[in-house]
Each structure stands twice: as C-alpha cells, then as structure tokens.
Amino acid sequence: MKTLTTLSLALLLLTTLSLTVVAQESDDRKTDSVPKGHDLTPKYTKGQKSRYRQTQTTDSTSEVMGQKSKSLSVLTYEFEQECTDIADDGTPSLKAKYTRVVIDDTTDGEKTADYDSAEGDKLADLEDGDKLKALLNGLELSFTITKERKVADLKGFDEYKKRVKEQVSEMHAAMLESMNGDATMRDSMEASLRALPTEPVAVGDEWTNEWSTAMPTMGVFTYKVTYKFESVEEKSGHKCAKLKASGEVEFTSEEDAAFEVSISDVEMNGTMFLDLDSRETVFSEMVMKMTMELDMGIKVKTPSTVTTTLELLDGEEADKEETK
C-alpha cells in the first residue's frame, strides 16, 4: 500500500513542479494610464551564473480502507545554472547541475528518511522512492531555450536513467520511460518562465495563462493561472517586481487509463519576486492544496498541501553554502 501512496504523492510533485512553466497561451491586459510598463521577459547574458535552492514541502494524509496515515515530506534541491552561449538568433544555451539533495520525511510521527548529500549520507539507507530523488545529485544537464520559452535539446537525462537502472532497478528506469520522465524534467526546468508576460506590464496589470500537461497512463492536467503585477519592492537586496498568482486545475482521465484518478478541493496561490534588471527569480512560493483519489482495485484518497519555494543564492549566503 505504501507503493500506491508514494505514486500518488510523486504525481502530485510532478504536477506541482509545472505550475509556473512556459506559457502556451497568454492574454495580457495593460493599464491604459501607464503607456510604458516594465519588461519582465526572460533575459540571458553569456557567462551569467545563478545558484538556487528549491524546497518542496508535502503535507498529506492518506486514507486506505478507512485507515489514515499522515506524512510530512521536505525535499530540497540546490542547483547552479550558467548561460554558456547566445546564438545569432538570440537563442540561449545553458547548463545546469544539481549540487545538493536533502530529504527529510516523517510518517505518523516517525522519521522515515534523513538524507543530505552534502553530509555524505549513504544512498543505500534510502527506500527506492527516495533514491530516485537523491540520484539527481551531481547530475549535469545542458539545453537551449526557444523563442517560445520551451526547453529544447535537453542532454543529460539519459545519465539519470542509467543511474536509476544501476542503483535502484530496471523497473524504475522503465517507469521513467513510460511516464515520459524527460518531458517532466523539461517542464520543471521551464518553471520560472511560465509566469512571465510577453509584453511590458505596469503595476496593477493582470494576465492569464492556460496550459495542459499529459501524464501517460493517467490523463491530462489542465491549468489556468492568473498573475497580477502587484508592486515594485526590494527583496533580499534586489529591486523586484512582485507578482501574485492564483489558479485552478482540472483533470481529464484517459479512456484506457491504467487506473482511475480524480482530483477535488483544488486551491492554488503563489508569489514571485523578479529582479527588474537581471530578470532572475529572487524568490517564489507556490502553494497548492488538492485531494487526489486513485482507484486501482483499492481506493487511495490523499488530501495534500504542497508548498514549493525557490530562492536565489547569492552574496554571503552562497559563500556559506560553498563551505558546507
């Protein structure tokens, strides 16, 4: 039964990662009284390096045949990114590397995972689901960003699948293939781009993005998120545009889905601080509440709150991380 619950939470994690991904449709409404707004479109400079920490906290209660189990999972990734080239048409090439993975899980008050790659903790002490997360440590990826703000030419994911096959199991590696793991990886890498408008905007402006994400063997998640340019504020020493987000999610099951899935009680709200000069995300937080039900012969009901934060590591903070 733990396998079913883990699968449910893993799918929640994947869909949450794509909440702020590149927009496929955009409806920008600009304030007429302010003809010239702020340009918030992505900006790339050859040689520019950024370091980030992403933390995802999943607070959930699983119910199976009337039995409830409460879990709290805190997953932290640190990664660095560099713009390595700018093509003649303006297309940037980037490389990224996961430099640290921290896993802190508790189930029904009992510690079930306590792992920090920076402390030299052993992969063998983790359950298979957590090994999948820990194996990202040290992984290097290269890719380009298209004019449509899509991640293309992704290289490095094959190395991850190789690690999974050798250090977890061939079954888990096959699962990555069947669930289009590389596509999910691209979605998560596009996360800082989806919220951004395509035209200059002023304080008070709103725009709405809609997109869909297919989950093989399950169905399609459709998102509709409205963003508002709330104010210009200083955040962690950066002059930033503060954006607010609120949205809704729908799920359509495939006719030949391997099992039945439904979602309900969805709430989605977020905040992003974007450096007005470099266009780097200085800090963002997205909170999604959702109840997911899976029916695989046995019904699993999982109400969850997933909070995802992304923070820029620079200055003294980055120096402290380097010494750990």
Side-chain angles (χ1 to χ4, degrees):
M1 200 53 56
K2 183 175 178 63
T3 301
L4 299 182
T5 304
T6 301
L7 174 60
S8 173
L9 296 180
L11 294 174
L12 253 178
L13 181 146
L14 295 179
T15 54
T16 302
L17 284 177
S18 62
L19 286 179
T20 53
V21 184
V22 60
Q24 295 175 351
E25 298 180 14
S26 179
D27 176 19
D28 299 327
R29 299 186 293 279
K30 293 169 281 299
T31 305
D32 293 336
S33 61
V34 185
K36 293 185 179 180
H38 293 277
D39 183 0
L40 303 184
T41 57
K43 179 180 178 182
Y44 300 97
T45 304
K46 185 176 180 179
Q48 180 182 11
K49 298 180 180 180
S50 303
R51 297 183 60 188
Y52 281 97
R53 178 190 297 120
Q54 177 176 295
T55 300
Q56 186 167 68
T57 302
T58 303
D59 189 346
S60 62
T61 301
S62 298
E63 183 176 344
V64 184
M65 300 177 66
Q67 298 296 314
K68 293 184 178 181
S69 177
K70 183 173 178 59
S71 64
L72 180 66
S73 175
V74 183
L75 172 63
T76 301
Y77 291 122
E78 291 180 8
F79 61 94
E80 54 192 26
Q81 180 172 288
E82 179 183 0
C83 179
T84 57
D85 194 23
I86 304 289
D88 292 340
D89 64 355
T91 300
S93 296
L94 299 98
K95 66 178 182 180
K97 181 180 180 180
Y98 289 88
T99 57
R100 188 181 184 187
V101 178
V102 182
I103 304 170
D104 185 0
D105 294 347
T106 303
T107 300
D108 295 332
E110 181 180 347
K111 183 74 70 174
T112 54
D114 186 6
Y115 174 86
D116 186 343
S117 63
E119 300 294 335
D121 292 340
K122 296 180 180 179
L123 196 71
D125 294 336
L126 296 174
E127 293 188 358
D128 288 348
D130 288 328
K131 287 180 183 178
L132 295 177
K133 306 167 189 175
L135 283 173
L136 286 171
N137 184 56
L139 185 69
E140 296 187 25
L141 303 167
S142 64
F143 53 97
T144 61
I145 303 291
T146 69
K147 293 185 181 300
E148 294 76 26
R149 303 183 189 177
K150 291 283 190 179
V151 169
D153 302 321
L154 176 62
K155 297 179 177 62
F157 192 75
D158 285 344
E159 170 61 26
Y160 176 63
K161 289 188 290 187
K162 179 181 178 182
R163 293 181 181 186
V164 170
K165 182 178 180 179
E166 294 176 347
Q167 301 186 56
V168 186
S169 73
E170 292 189 7
M171 181 191 72
H172 285 82
M175 183 181 70
L176 288 175
E177 289 282 0
S178 66
M179 297 187 68
N180 290 345
D182 55 342
T184 302
M185 174 70 79
R186 288 197 300 272
D187 272 0
S188 66
M189 294 168 68
E190 292 165 352
S192 62
L193 305 177
R194 188 182 291 279
L196 306 181
T198 57
E199 301 289 341
V201 289
V203 172
D205 287 355
E206 295 184 359
W207 55 97
T208 298
N209 293 336
E210 294 187 39
W211 71 96
S212 296
T213 300
M215 298 295 292
T217 75
M218 287 182 55
V220 177
F221 286 89
T222 300
Y223 303 89
K224 183 176 181 180
V225 183
T226 297
Y227 302 90
K228 182 177 181 179
F229 188 173
E230 190 170 79
S231 59
V232 174
E233 298 183 14
E234 183 172 303
K235 180 70 172 178
S236 303
H238 299 255
K239 185 178 180 180
C240 296
K242 180 181 180 182
L243 309 181
K244 284 287 190 178
S246 60
E248 55 193 59
V249 184
E250 294 182 355
F251 176 76
T252 304
S253 180
E254 292 183 353
E255 291 185 4
D256 57 347
F259 45 86
E260 293 183 14
V261 180
S262 63
I263 62 172
S264 60
D265 306 321
V266 179
E267 295 181 27
M268 183 163 46
N269 295 282
T271 304
M272 173 185 283
F273 289 87
L274 189 74
D275 188 297
L276 286 170
D277 179 34
S278 68
R279 318 279 169 73
E280 292 177 299
T281 300
V282 175
F283 179 83
S284 70
E285 179 181 70
M286 181 66 77
V287 180
M288 185 171 75
K289 297 180 180 181
M290 175 190 294
T291 296
M292 177 179 285
E293 290 191 59
L294 290 83
D295 188 345
M296 303 174 65
I298 298 176
K299 292 185 178 180
V300 181
K301 184 176 182 180
T302 309
S304 302
T305 299
V306 183
T307 303
T308 305
T309 61
L310 181 71
E311 55 186 315
L312 179 68
L313 299 177
D314 58 5
E316 294 182 0
E317 186 172 12
D319 293 336
K320 290 178 182 178
E321 293 299 321
E322 191 69 39
T323 60
K324 287 187 177 181

